[in-house]
């Protein structure tokens, strides 16, 4: 009997102590601070030649492909041999005819000048002979600019670049102006991404972007170069080109792009500090006189592990960042001795 009375007495004492000192929740807090988070537009795309980043190699004369010194996808340096081109018989004949016409015109002009000195020709005849020399010289110069007069001509890379495609094979006979191969400048690659039409109005040329290769590896910085004004008929998105450092990407490489279009202002809190009730209302807790005070907030942006919120947040009260799931409005809270020492 005495044992039961003792146990009952202990329970009464414990109950009174609990009533006098209700339980508290151990939490961690941080000072309430206003700040900003980057406002980002996310997009995906691939590296490809810019509109002005490539060149199609061709010759304005008929001929035969004698040899090809490169392969598609190969990186070439300025001045490196790309292709050897043999002049056709017709082109060689046209060049020789132009040389002969110039020689004849010069001879005729010299003869006319002698006759004029003997008063056997007129000044008008000399002028006509001089014009014939000028016309013959212009024809020959035009053929030389097109490469005529060379039995075998070597085409060299006009800049540092990448061989995108080769349109011919050794032994092919090609017509004047036919494409031989296409090159892309090493600094002529951009990352073309697809933007949701609703996001297009946020973008401006020159805005910074961070590119992350989908295959893994280090990210790189870029800058918005161009934004289309129409939808891509295949993707139904708006194409935008992002300039990247020369040689930093490979054609066809896939990327995720985060384009910074502004800043989101608000109270910056860890994502876990913001809770949502059954009605979908966002809220957080602040500590006032060692008691939890619920504050309704509106999330205006989120980046990584942080949220930007707006609401009736007191700048002088710390925000609960851990332990908030156990709290209700007005509940007693306590912080660790370590955190108290850091204040």
């Amino acid at each position: 009997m005495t044992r039961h009375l003792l146990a009952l007495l202990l329970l009464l004492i414990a109950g009174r102590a609990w009533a006098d000192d209700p339980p508290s929740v151990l939490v961690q807090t941080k000072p309430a601070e206003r700040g900003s988070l980057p406002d980002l537009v996310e997009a995906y795309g691939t590296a490809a030649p810019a509109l002005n980043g490539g060149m199609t190699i061709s010759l304005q004369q008929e001929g035969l492909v004698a040899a090809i010194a490169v392969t598609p996808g190969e990186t070439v340096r300025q001045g490196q041999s790309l292709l050897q081109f043999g002049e056709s018989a017709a082109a060689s004949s046209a060049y020789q005819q132009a040389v002969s016409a110039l020689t004849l015109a010069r001879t005729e002009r010299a003869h006319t000048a002698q006759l004029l000195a003997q008063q056997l020709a007129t000044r008008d005849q000399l002028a006509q002979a001089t014009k014939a020399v000028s016309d013959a010289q212009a024809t020959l110069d035009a053929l030389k600019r097109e490469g005529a007069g060379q039995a075998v001509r070597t085409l060299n890379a006009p800049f540092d670049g990448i061989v995108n495609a080769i349109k011919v094979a050794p032994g092919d006979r090609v017509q004047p102006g036919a494409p031989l191969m296409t090159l892309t400048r090493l600094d002529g690659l951009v990352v073309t991404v697809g933007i949701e039409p609703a996001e297009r109005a946020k973008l401006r040329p020159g805005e910074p972007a961070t590119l992350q290769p989908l295959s893994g590896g280090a990210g790189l910085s870029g800058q918005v170069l161009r934004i289309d004004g129409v939808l891509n008929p295949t993707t139904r998105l708006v194409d935008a080109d992002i300039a990247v450092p020369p040689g930093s990407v490979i054609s066809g490489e896939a990327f995720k792009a985060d384009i910074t279009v502004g800043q989101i202002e608000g109270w910056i809190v860890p994502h876990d500090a913001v809770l949502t009730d059954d009605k979908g209302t966002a809220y957080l807790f602040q500590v006032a006189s060692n008691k939890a005070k619920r504050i309704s907030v509106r999330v205006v942006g989120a980046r990584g592990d942080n949220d930007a919120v707006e609401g009736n947040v007191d700048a002088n009260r710390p925000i609960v960042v851990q332990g908030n799931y156990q709290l209700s409005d007005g509940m007693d809270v306590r912080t660790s001795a370590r955190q108290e020492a850091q204040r």
Side-chain angles (χ1 to χ4, degrees):
M1 187 67 175
T2 303
R3 183 178 299 174
H4 290 296
L5 288 175
L6 181 60
L8 181 59
L9 181 59
L10 291 173
L11 286 174
L12 289 173
I13 294 172
R16 182 173 296 176
W18 183 86
D20 293 339
D21 187 16
S24 60
V25 176
L26 179 65
V27 298
Q28 288 189 13
T29 63
K30 70 177 291 293
E33 296 176 338
R34 289 194 66 85
S36 62
L37 296 175
D39 187 8
L40 303 178
V41 171
E42 294 184 354
Y44 293 84
T46 57
L51 294 178
N52 60 347
M55 175 184 288
T56 298
I57 306 295
S58 64
L59 289 174
Q60 297 303 315
Q61 66 177 129
E62 181 182 355
L64 176 75
V65 177
I68 298 175
V70 293
T71 57
E74 182 177 343
T75 299
V76 296
R77 296 299 177 185
Q78 183 176 6
Q80 181 176 336
S81 174
L82 301 176
L83 178 146
Q84 287 189 335
F85 187 84
E87 188 177 50
S88 69
S92 178
S93 175
Y95 178 78
Q96 293 301 327
Q97 289 177 15
V99 171
S100 298
L102 177 60
T103 301
L104 178 60
R106 286 173 174 170
T107 301
E108 290 292 335
R109 184 188 181 285
H111 181 63
T112 303
Q114 290 178 353
L115 293 177
L116 178 62
Q118 299 171 10
Q119 298 183 350
L120 297 177
T122 65
R123 294 187 177 277
D124 183 60
Q125 290 175 320
L126 180 62
Q128 291 179 7
T130 301
K131 183 179 183 303
V133 172
S134 177
D135 291 346
Q137 184 67 62
T139 299
L140 182 61
D141 290 344
L143 290 174
K144 285 182 177 180
R145 285 194 298 270
E146 294 173 358
Q150 303 178 50
V152 177
R153 182 179 179 184
T154 299
L155 300 185
N156 298 322
F159 47 73
D160 294 348
I162 300 169
V163 180
N164 276 355
I166 299 176
K167 308 291 188 179
V168 293
D172 285 354
R173 292 188 175 276
V174 296
Q175 296 301 313
L180 302 176
M181 63 177 63
T182 57
L183 300 180
T184 299
R185 297 178 182 274
L186 284 183
D187 59 353
L189 288 176
V190 296
V191 175
T192 301
V193 298
I195 306 296
E196 291 289 346
E199 303 275 19
R200 182 188 179 278
K202 298 181 180 179
L203 266 65
R204 297 288 184 275
E207 289 175 327
T210 300
L211 296 163
Q212 185 64 45
L214 296 185
S215 58
L220 61 147
S221 299
Q223 191 176 64
V224 176
L225 187 65
R226 181 188 63 85
I227 308 162
D228 273 358
V230 297
L231 290 180
N232 183 308
T234 302
T235 64
R236 307 305 297 172
L237 299 174
V238 178
D239 286 345
D241 288 345
I242 299 176
V244 294
S248 62
V249 300
I250 301 173
S251 183
E253 189 175 6
F255 290 89
K256 173 181 179 292
D258 289 323
I259 305 170
T260 302
V261 296
Q263 297 292 320
I264 302 171
E265 305 290 336
W267 297 98
I268 308 302
V269 298
H271 181 70
D272 290 341
V274 182
L275 304 175
T276 306
D277 62 19
D278 295 338
K279 297 180 181 179
T281 302
Y283 65 96
L284 52 76
F285 286 102
Q286 289 190 276
V287 177
S289 301
N290 294 324
K291 290 188 179 294
K293 182 174 178 59
R294 172 171 164 160
I295 307 294
S296 295
V297 296
R298 177 173 57 90
V299 178
V300 295
R303 290 293 172 262
D305 296 330
N306 292 321
D307 290 351
V309 301
E310 290 291 359
N312 193 24
V313 177
D314 190 330
N316 298 315
R317 294 173 177 173
I319 295 172
V320 178
V321 296
Q322 287 188 19
N324 50 348
Y325 287 93
Q326 308 173 55
L327 296 178
S328 58
D329 197 28
M331 181 177 288
D332 287 346
V333 298
R334 69 184 190 280
T335 55
S336 65
R338 179 181 178 184
Q339 188 168 5
E340 290 291 343
Q342 292 174 345
R343 289 184 179 179

